[in-house]
Amino acid sequence: MSKLNILRYPDARLYKIAKPVTVFDERLKTLIADMAETMYDAPGVGLAATQVDVHERLVVIDVSEEGNQLIAFINPEIIWSSEDKRVYDEGCLSVPGIYDGVERPSEVKVRALDANGQPFEMHCKDLLAVCIQHEIDHLNGKVFVEYLSPLKRNRIKTKLQKEEREQQRKAGR
């Protein structure tokens, strides 16, 4: 396993729409393992392949307290959403240090494939529901800051670009 590089907002590659996974082989299983290692190390509770510059419809999530209940969702799609909506404070590994409220359905039902290409459905609520919606947004080329006002979005972009320049300056580039 190896740790992957997480793209940072506003990197244009975060806006690419991911293509469906069609081959279920060792490469895919290695990608899942590498994404899981990257997510746990970050630390985070979800990671979409788009965030590591792989534009395939693959998400890994683990919302357990112990960090031992990894779920890989391949070609995930939301097939039902509750009418009840809640605002959750969301963060993102591609938008480090930024958290803000986003309103989403409080429950969803997801259809996906596992690492062997076997279909499954899962009813998700609470943090898992937020996480799967957030990660599917990534697969569709959308970053959570797009739910925020243009003013907040521009402030976040400016802050992260400034941090990036500062890191590059310190690295002597």
Side-chain angles (χ1 to χ4, degrees):
M1 294 192 310
S2 60
K3 202 173 131 203
L4 305 170
N5 183 45
I6 299 172
L7 300 176
R8 283 176 58 120
Y9 175 81
D11 193 305
R13 294 170 290 181
L14 289 169
Y15 297 100
K16 283 178 122 177
I17 296 174
K19 297 189 177 350
V21 172
T22 56
V23 177
F24 295 81
D25 58 4
E26 282 308 308
R27 181 200 68 85
L28 180 66
K29 289 180 176 142
T30 299
L31 177 59
I32 291 168
D34 290 348
M35 285 177 59
E37 180 180 346
T38 303
M39 177 189 74
Y40 289 130
D41 186 64
V45 295
L47 186 66
T50 300
Q51 293 176 271
V52 293
D53 202 20
V54 175
H55 302 283
E56 298 176 29
R57 297 191 74 78
L58 165 61
V59 166
V60 294
I61 293 175
D62 186 345
V63 296
S64 69
E65 290 288 323
E66 303 79 23
N68 62 359
Q69 295 177 26
L70 184 74
I71 307 167
F73 295 86
I74 300 167
N75 301 334
E77 59 180 318
I78 294 172
I79 56 174
W80 173 83
S81 305
S82 66
E83 288 184 24
D84 179 48
K85 295 190 183 327
R86 291 189 48 201
V87 175
Y88 291 91
D89 241 9
E90 292 189 27
C92 180
L93 296 177
S94 292
V95 191
I98 305 295
Y99 299 88
D100 212 321
V102 175
E103 183 179 63
R104 298 186 185 270
S106 59
E107 297 182 43
V108 295
K109 189 171 191 181
V110 179
R111 178 182 299 137
L113 302 173
D114 68 15
N116 298 311
Q118 296 303 305
F120 69 94
E121 290 184 2
M122 183 175 288
H123 184 94
C124 306
K125 59 185 183 178
D126 303 322
L127 181 57
L128 182 57
V130 172
C131 197
I132 191 66
Q133 292 173 83
H134 176 110
E135 301 306 336
I136 288 174
D137 275 352
H138 277 301
L139 300 180
N140 294 329
K142 188 170 186 174
V143 181
F144 94 97
V145 296
E146 292 174 53
Y147 289 99
L148 308 178
S149 71
L151 178 64
K152 278 187 178 179
R153 202 168 39 249
N154 285 334
R155 283 183 178 161
I156 291 166
K157 183 187 284 187
T158 301
K159 179 180 191 266
L160 293 178
Q161 287 172 329
K162 182 179 176 187
E163 286 175 5
E164 185 73 24
R165 284 192 304 272
E166 187 65 23
Q167 285 176 351
Q168 288 176 355
R169 187 187 65 74
K170 284 181 180 174
R173 293 186 211 168

